């Protein structure tokens, strides 16, 4: 598992967890510590808001339902005061509206309880290491794989790879999160706009098609399946820590 | 059972108030009549007195006092005991008539005067009288006995009193009778309600059959009860279905954990067991999520998020996503989607609806099946069809498959929660659309009819543009195409390799 995360000291984050359920908070904190992140915890909305405004954090994990001050209000407040720290909402509400209202309040991602830790970790990494949104970025590169966002073309090792529009979107998402683990759910939400879990192997099918086009014909494998977690696009040096 | 106190029952209170009011009105009417009759009688009395006095005065001035006394005696003889007279001189000496002398006063009088005579003969009369001096020494009083008038007035008062009493009695009795009849009907309704509360949901409020307001109320209540009974029945079903469906995976989970514990194992084996336990738990959680989602959709709250969404785009998108899945499964997926059709709804839910329908078709059909997705604008509104040429669903079971957890015997072994079509049904209902299932001969054909969006009415059913500028272009692969071109192109590309199953092209029937 630790290999899937590809922990590097420069990636260690300082995370604030605002969660009133002691067991869930401990579960998150232990897991994050294990993966090299420092975690501060707040059990009430008021404490959470205080800590969020006081110290700089790389990321915040905020429960929606909190005593004293709810998660939505905390995030609204800190966003109003100019804090741009990425926020991941946790909620027991699996509602259709809840996701939208969470994102509207200034949250960056949303996870419904109960969740798999690997899912949380993948999302935390995706948020925390979000590259500064360079508007000028028109070419994505991973090893010898190159994607031109303007011309909508993909080349690997100088050879053109023909992709359908949806395959292009899938690869773009993977390349933007190169070196990280992306879960099935993240792909479903961001690539296909599916906010539910299909019963058929949609993700697997599309992945194997993409792999057949951009990996199979070449010597080294870039697209890896991370067992029990998801997928990861990365080069040879990370591949060495396969289980 | 609860006894209702009559005075507290609304109909009786109304009856009492009504009786009071009608008594008041009747009393006022009778008073007016009484007053008119009595004053008319008095007026008649006065006229008679005036006429006699005039006749006596004429006699007096023409022929003198003695002649007048003669006429007076004649009157006295004819009068039948009702007329009385008094003639007296200045000193109070009675000159004629049948009354004893009085202290003279002039004009109209209501007096009691006793008769002349002595001993037991002396009687006293209640009189209406008019008196005057015919000359200085002749005081003449003409009077009529008012005892008859008093008697008449008494009689009128009596009969009026009786009428009033009867009015009160009748209106009270009537009010109470009507009131208690109403009360009885209310009471039966209340008894029925109580029986229902005690658990007998099949009870209904009796309808009298005379189509009045109370019957209509009972009818509405009965309809409501029928709906409640249906819902309760659903809840009962769902509860037992949930218990059944969740017991199975939980039981399996327990077995596996117990089996793992029975003997010493290598660490790797334990890991395997834990992984499969997590997978089992996830499956249970997924079922719960699906149930919660359906419940939330059924509550209708999502409607506040509704917007105009391009359902053609959604259908295209979802079909594209599932095409490779179908192909890898040895099945085909063909589309006939008219572009630019919009409905008022929720994008996320409509996406899931379509995904569920396509997945359902893919999962319950054998290899070689072709699944069709059709969308077109009918005169009545947008119509979405997902069809297959697989085994189909027997007609008697078509309605059942929309129920939560219902699964056909044939698909008991395929994985799935049995909630997919329930969610489709819930989303359809949320959008005010109609879901129906037909035989696709062979296979199943699910049709969802949306109601027509107002802004859509500028277009004809086949998608040709009548109103200019209503989203006439769309982009495929960066090219701008007219809708018709796009449709032909999309169709041409999409149907390659597979033929349309029968009746997909036709859209809705």
């Amino acid at each position: 598992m630790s290999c899937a995360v590809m922990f590097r000291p420069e990636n260690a984050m300082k995370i604030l967890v605002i969660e009133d359920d002691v067991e869930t908070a401990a579960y998150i904190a232990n897991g994050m510590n294990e993966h090299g992140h420092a975690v501060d915890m707040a059990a009430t909305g008021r404490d959470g808001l205080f800590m969020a405004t006081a110290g700089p954090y790389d990321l915040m994990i905020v429960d929606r339902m909190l005593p004293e001050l709810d998660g939505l209000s905390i995030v609204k407040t800190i966003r109003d005061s100019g804090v741009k720290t990425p926020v991941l909402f946790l909620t027991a509400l699996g509602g259709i509206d809840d996701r939208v209202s969470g994102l509207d309040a200034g949250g960056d991602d949303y996870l419904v309880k109960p969740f798999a830790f690997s899912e949380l970790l993948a999302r935390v990494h995706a948020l925390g290491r979000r590259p500064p949104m360079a508007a000028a970025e028109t070419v994505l590169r991973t090893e010898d794989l190159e994607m031109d966002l303007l011309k909508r073309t993909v080349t690997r090792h100088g050879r053109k790879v023909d992709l359908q529009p949806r395959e292009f979107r899938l690869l773009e998402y993977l390349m933007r999160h190169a070196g990280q683990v992306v879960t099935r759910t993240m792909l479903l939400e961001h690539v296909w706009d599916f906010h539910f879990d299909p019963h058929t192997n949609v993700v697997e099918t599309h992945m194997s098609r993409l792999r057949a086009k951009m990996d199979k014909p070449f010597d080294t494998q870039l697209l890896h399946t991370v067992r029990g977690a998801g997928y990861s696009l990365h080069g040879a040096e990370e591949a060495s820590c396969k289980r | 059972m609860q006894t209702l106190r009559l005075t507290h029952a609304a109909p009786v209170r109304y009856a009492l108030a009504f009786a009071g009011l009608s008594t008041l009105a009747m009393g006022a009417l009778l008073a007016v009549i009484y007053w008119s009759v009595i004053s008319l009688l008095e007026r008649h009395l006065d006229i008679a007195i005036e006429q006699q006095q005039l006749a006596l005065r004429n006699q007096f001035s023409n022929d003198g006092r003695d002649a007048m006394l003669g006429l007076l005696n004649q009157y006295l003889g004819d009068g039948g005991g009702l007329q009385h007279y008094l003639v007296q001189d200045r000193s109070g000496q009675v000159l004629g008539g049948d009354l004893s002398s009085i202290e003279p006063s002039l004009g109209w009088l209501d007096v009691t005067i006793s008769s002349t005579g002595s001993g037991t003969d002396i009687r006293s009369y209640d009189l209406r009288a008019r008196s005057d001096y015919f000359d200085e020494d002749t005081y003449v009083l003409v009077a009529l006995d008012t005892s008859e008038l008093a008697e008449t007035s008494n009689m009128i008062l009596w009969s009026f009193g009786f009428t009033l009493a009867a009015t009160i009695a009748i209106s009270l009795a009537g009010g109470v009778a009507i009131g208690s009849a109403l009360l009885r009907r209310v009471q039966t309704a209340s008894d029925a309600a109580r029986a229902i509360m005690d658990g007998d949901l099949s009870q209904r409020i009796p309808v009298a059959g005379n189509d009045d307001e109370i019957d209509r109320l009972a009818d509405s209540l009965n309809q409501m009860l029928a709906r409640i009974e249906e819902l309760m029945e659903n809840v009962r079903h769902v509860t037992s279905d949930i218990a059944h469906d969740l017991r199975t995976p939980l039981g399996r989970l327990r077995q596996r954990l117990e089996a793992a514990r029975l003997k010493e194992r290598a660490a790797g084996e334990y890991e395997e067991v834990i992984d499969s336990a997590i997978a089992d738990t996830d499956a249970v959680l997924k079922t719960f999520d699906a149930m919660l989602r359906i419940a939330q959709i059924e509550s209708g709250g999502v409607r506040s998020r509704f917007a105009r969404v391009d359902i053609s785009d959604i259908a295209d998108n979802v079909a594209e996503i599932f095409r490779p899945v179908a192909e890898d499964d040895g099945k085909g997926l063909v589309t006939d989607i008219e572009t630019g059709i919009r409905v008022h709804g929720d994008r996320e839910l409509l996406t899931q609806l379509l995904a569920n329908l396509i997945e359902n078709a893919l999962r319950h059909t054998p290899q070689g099946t072709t699944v069709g997705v059709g969308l077109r604008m009918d005169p009545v509104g947008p119509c979405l069809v997902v069809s297959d040429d697989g085994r189909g669903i027997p007609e008697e079971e078509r309605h059942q498959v929309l129920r939560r957890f219902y699964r056909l015997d044939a698909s008991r072994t395929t994985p799935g929660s049995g909630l997919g079509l329930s969610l489709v049904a819930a989303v359809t209902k949320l959008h005010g659309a109609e879901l129906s299932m037909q035989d696709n001969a062979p296979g199943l054909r699910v049709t969802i009819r949306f109601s027509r969006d107002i802004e859509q009415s500028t277009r004809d059913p086949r998608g040709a543009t009548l109103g200019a500028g209503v989203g006439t272009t769309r982009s495929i692969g960066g090219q701008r195409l007219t809708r018709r071109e796009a449709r032909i192109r999309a169709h041409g590309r999409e149907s390659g390799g597979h033929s349309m199953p029968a009746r997909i092209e036709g859209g809705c029937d």
Side-chain angles (χ1 to χ4, degrees), chain B residues 242-381:
Chain B
I242 290 171
H244 271 292
D245 261 67
L246 294 183
R247 254 180 79 102
T248 316
L250 286 176
R252 205 171 47 222
L253 172 62
R254 194 186 181 285
Q255 263 171 19
R256 271 189 214 176
L257 290 174
E258 202 174 4
R261 211 176 178 283
L262 279 179
K263 64 174 180 163
E264 199 78 6
R265 276 159 209 274
E269 277 183 294
Y270 278 125
E271 217 167 281
E272 231 167 73
V273 172
I274 291 173
D275 280 354
S276 77
I278 290 175
D280 282 348
T281 318
D282 282 348
V284 174
L285 288 172
K286 219 164 140 176
T287 304
F288 271 118
D289 282 349
M291 275 160 47
L292 285 173
R293 202 171 167 89
I294 292 172
Q296 199 193 7
I297 292 164
E298 283 179 344
S299 75
V302 195
R303 241 182 238 127
S304 60
R305 253 185 37 181
F306 272 18
R308 278 168 58 72
V309 291
D310 189 335
I311 192 171
S312 303
D313 193 46
I314 294 174
D316 235 8
N317 194 35
V318 177
E320 277 312 304
I321 290 169
F322 280 102
R323 188 188 308 285
V325 179
E327 284 167 4
D328 283 7
D329 222 15
K331 293 165 190 171
L333 196 146
V334 295
T335 55
D336 178 20
I337 297 165
E338 197 178 297
T339 58
I341 298 178
R342 291 187 171 81
V343 295
H344 188 64
D346 182 79
R347 188 176 190 92
E348 186 180 322
L349 291 177
L350 289 171
T351 302
Q352 192 174 4
L353 173 141
L354 212 71
N356 279 16
L357 283 176
I358 295 174
E359 284 193 325
N360 198 63
L362 288 177
R363 283 166 55 212
H364 300 297
T365 51
Q367 284 208 345
T369 306
T370 305
V371 175
V373 178
L375 176 70
R376 61 179 252 192
M377 193 66 194
D378 271 2
V380 283

Side-chain angles (χ1 to χ4, degrees), chain B residues 4 16 49 135 142 258 383 402 503:
Chain B
L4 286 162
L16 276 175
I49 292 167
D135 69 7
V142 180
E258 202 174 4
C383 176
L402 298 179
R503 295 168 70 201

Side-chain angles (χ1 to χ4, degrees), chain B residues 33-71:
Chain B
I33 293 173
Y34 174 80
W35 180 81
S36 313
V37 169
I38 295 302
S39 50
L40 187 71
L41 289 175
E42 279 173 353
R43 181 93 197 95
H44 275 274
L45 221 61
D46 288 359
I47 288 168
I49 292 167
E50 254 171 354
Q51 279 172 348
Q52 285 198 4
Q53 195 196 29
L54 191 65
L56 289 173
R57 186 190 289 276
N58 282 342
Q59 193 72 17
F60 182 83
S61 48
N62 291 341
D63 303 322
R65 182 196 276 172
D66 289 340
M68 189 265 295
L69 283 175
L71 180 62

